[in-house]
Structure formats: C-alpha cells, structure tokens
Amino acid sequence: MIDGQGRPIRYLRLSVTDRCNLSCVYCRSAACGEPVPREDLLSLEEIVRVVQIACELGIDRVRITGGEPLVRQGVVKLIRMLRESCDIADLSLSTNGLRLASRASELRRAGLDRVNVSLDSLKPARFRWITRGGNLDDVLAGIERAQEVGLEPVKVNTVVMKGINDDEVVDLAHFALERGLTIRFIELMPIGEAIRSGLWRSAYLSVSEVQRRLAMELPLLPAEPTQGGGPAQYFRVEGSQGAIGFIAPLSAPFCAHCNRIRLTATGELRPCLAHDEGLSLREPLRQGDLERVRELLIRAIREKPQGHGWKQDQPTTTTMADLGG
Ligand code: SAM
C-alpha cells in the first residue's frame, strides 16, 4: 500500500504486551501508569488475523516487540502461527535480551528470522542503573545464544545519552565488531519517561557527534544497508563482519522514507510513533468484522502523518513501551 504521502508501507511493528521486566530510565516509570488489564490485550488469534489482513495489503516485514515480548505468554506459539498462516518475508523480534539465552533456540525453531537486542552499557553497575535492575550477563548470554542458533544478523540497539553512556560508544563498537554484530547508535527521543523526567533535555546527543567520536578511533567505511531496510546509515570496518549504524530521528529525520505502521498490544493502529492518535481494531476484531479491520488498516495507512513533528516540540503522552519502539 502507498500512504497519503506516496510512501510504500511494508513494515508492521507488533507490540504484544506493554509489560516489561525492566524499567529503563528513559522509557517508563511507575508515573507512566499501570500496565493495561490482560483482557484488553489482543489474543494471539486476534493478532494473527490482523497480520493476515495486513499482509494481504502489502505488509511483508513484521517485528514483534513490546514492552518486552518475551514476557508475553505464548509468544513462541504466536511466531509459529504467524509463520504458518501469513506470508512474511522478514519476521524479527526486539528484546531486552534478559530471557533470550533460554528462549533463542525455540524462537528460531518456531520460525523467527532474527533479533534486535537493546544494550546501552557494558558496565554491569551502569547497566543496572539505566535499566533499573537488569543483569548485564543475562543479556550478553542472550546475544551469544542468538548468534549460535542463527537468529542473524543480531543487531544491538544502543540509545546514546550524554553524560550517562556516551563515554562507552567506542567500547560498544569494538564489542560489536569483535563478535560480528551490527550495532546501531540511536538518538534519545522525546517520548515517554525521557520527556516526563526531563532526561531528554539534559541527555540528548546527536548521533553525528557519536559518529565523529568513533571515526577518530575506527576507520568507518560506508556500507550497504543490512537486512531490514530500516532508517540506519551503516558503516563497516575493514576486517570485521560486524557493522555500525546510526539512527538519527531528530538530527536527520527519515520520515520521508518511513515505511511502517504500529499495532499496540491493545489493538490500536498507530501510523506514527510521535502522534498519540490511533484507530482501534479491537472491537471490530472481537465482533468478527474483518472487513472493518481491513478498512481501518487502509485508513491508518492513508492518513499516516507526514512527519513526527518533534522539531516543533510536540512530545507525546504514549511511551515506547506502549508502542514497541
Ligand atoms: N523490550 C524490547 C527492547 O528492549 O528492545 C522492545 C521494546 S523497547 C520499548 C524498544 C526500544 O525502544 C528499545 O531499544 C529502547 O531502548 C527504545 N526506547 C525506549 N524509549 C526510548 C526513548 N525515549 N528514546 C529512544 N529510544 C527509546
């Protein structure tokens, strides 16, 4: 499908829960409210129905996200169901990695193609502080296991924050390059806890600054985009299978090439990360009105906003945990 701005829309980000076993300082806090009641979440069957219709409309890339998708009961079953009943060229999952070591093998067997793992620090105490309690070793074991079972390319996502973890960008790049991982440095976005707490104002750092610092230590060579066709600009380093990417939603917005829509765990279609408006699919799904679901999908795509508008300082009230990043 082509949206109202002429952009082909091929990519669906599917949040399967708003719950998370971490509470990252920039993402969510207790002040962001309680998780939604379980009965409000779409069932696995309802999710599959939406994805089937989305695929008929031209979606062929699906990412399972959250909250933390690996805390959603039945997530492996969901992957199997999606594989069996939808025509998806690229089925991926974003995770904080805490439960990845124990689940990687069954995820792969169920038909998952690849994973992205969030990792903002290689220092155990700092990692624990950023994530409010996470154990770094569990995430590192998860990354290793994902590579072993072939959930590749494994991409590591790092949100860079001035004065918090920006002194680690070179170490993180080496970590990725030595292991043949793709690491993407991402700008802190004015959404969720980052804007509520004021962190965004003090810690935002453009990734062009990160790139400048890395280029002083590593000879960065422009590279082809990796699998996924996302918004990152990629570089490689001679002699490593790994890659380094930069994602700059604020300093170099890529809205003109945005190819995605989002579905929240409660069944709301969100055509743009930065806009709180959405269209709910839950009622028509529960009434069995799949024609209405199709109409709403088409409408959400047609009405996708031109851009995120963050430059005009319009923070949203939704958190990334609601939308899946
Ligand atoms: N739990 C999974 C994970 O950790 O990847 C998936 C959901 S998480 C909300 C998705 C991504 O959003 C994570 O990489 C996280 O770092 C990022 N994120 C959350 N809030 C953010 C913010 N304010 N700015 C930039 N990235 C953010």
Side-chain angles (χ1 to χ4, degrees):
M1 274 212 61
I2 308 288
D3 77 359
Q5 317 290 326
R7 299 169 292 200
I9 305 299
R10 294 180 50 198
Y11 178 18
L12 174 65
R13 292 183 68 102
L14 208 57
S15 174
V16 294
T17 177
D18 64 334
R19 289 162 204 263
C20 189
N21 43 0
L22 293 178
S23 181
C24 296
V25 288
Y26 49 75
C27 188
R28 194 153 87 183
S29 72
C32 299
E34 292 290 309
V36 297
R38 287 185 202 277
E39 61 271 21
D40 288 352
L41 299 181
L42 293 191
S43 67
L44 304 186
E45 290 73 18
E46 287 165 342
I47 294 173
V48 172
R49 252 167 248 141
V50 177
V51 178
Q52 281 173 327
I53 298 172
C55 289
E56 286 163 19
L57 293 172
I59 295 290
D60 66 354
R61 291 180 53 200
V62 175
R63 172 171 300 277
I64 297 168
T65 175
E68 172 49 41
L70 297 186
V71 306
R72 169 83 196 241
Q73 267 195 355
V75 69
V76 174
K77 182 175 170 200
L78 173 67
I79 290 165
R80 203 173 303 116
M81 288 161 77
L82 290 173
R83 262 296 169 231
E84 281 167 6
S85 56
C86 306
D87 193 9
I88 302 171
D90 180 28
L91 181 58
S92 59
L93 177 140
S94 286
T95 174
N96 60 31
L98 283 186
R99 295 193 181 177
L100 187 54
S102 60
R103 311 297 300 274
S105 174
E106 53 176 335
L107 289 167
R108 183 73 185 127
R109 271 186 277 121
L112 188 70
D113 290 319
R114 59 193 182 89
V115 288
N116 286 7
V117 183
S118 302
L119 176 65
D120 296 335
S121 176
L122 293 170
K123 297 179 191 256
R126 182 181 283 177
F127 182 83
R128 204 172 309 116
W129 182 83
I130 294 173
T131 57
R132 295 189 178 110
N135 179 13
L136 177 64
D137 283 343
D138 291 342
V139 181
L140 300 183
I143 292 172
E144 200 176 321
R145 188 76 188 122
Q147 286 189 296
E148 278 167 13
V149 303
L151 286 169
E152 295 200 274
V154 176
K155 296 184 184 175
V156 169
N157 288 334
T158 300
V159 177
V160 186
M161 292 166 282
K162 188 167 59 189
I164 294 179
N165 65 350
D166 60 328
D167 58 340
E168 281 191 72
V169 293
V170 174
D171 290 347
L172 281 156
H174 280 299
F175 168 84
L177 293 172
E178 282 159 17
R179 290 166 177 75
L181 299 162
T182 295
I183 186 164
R184 287 113 53 89
F185 293 102
I186 304 176
E187 291 177 353
L188 183 64
M189 293 179 237
I191 181 170
E193 186 62 9
I195 197 79
R196 204 201 62 79
S197 68
L199 180 74
W200 182 74
R201 292 213 173 274
S202 60
Y204 169 77
L205 184 71
S206 82
V207 288
S208 56
E209 171 59 19
V210 176
Q211 187 177 339
R212 194 187 63 76
R213 291 188 201 171
L214 286 179
M216 292 194 300
E217 305 283 334
L218 293 162
L220 299 180
L221 308 166
E224 291 299 310
T226 68
Q227 187 178 355
Q233 238 201 320
Y234 284 103
F235 294 83
R236 61 187 180 84
V237 170
E238 206 63 65
S240 169
Q241 296 296 312
I244 300 177
F246 300 97
I247 301 183
L250 285 130
S251 64
F254 35 82
C255 303
H257 305 288
C258 186
N259 61 356
R260 58 191 63 185
I261 51 169
R262 295 174 163 82
L263 185 71
T264 70
T266 57
E268 203 177 310
L269 274 173
R270 290 291 190 94
C272 175
L273 178 64
H275 289 74
D276 286 332
E277 300 77 32
L279 296 171
S280 179
L281 302 184
R282 199 172 62 210
E283 290 319 309
L285 271 171
R286 291 193 174 167
Q287 289 158 1
D289 188 352
L290 299 186
E291 198 41 48
R292 179 78 184 136
V293 172
R294 173 189 296 270
E295 281 167 19
L296 290 171
L297 265 160
I298 293 172
R299 196 173 128 201
I301 292 174
R302 291 240 167 86
E303 294 177 1
K304 184 172 161 67
Q306 190 173 8
H308 60 55
W310 278 328
K311 277 244 145 71
Q312 287 84 47
D313 232 2
Q314 296 170 343
T316 60
T317 55
T318 318
T319 69
M320 286 284 204
D322 300 316
L323 287 182

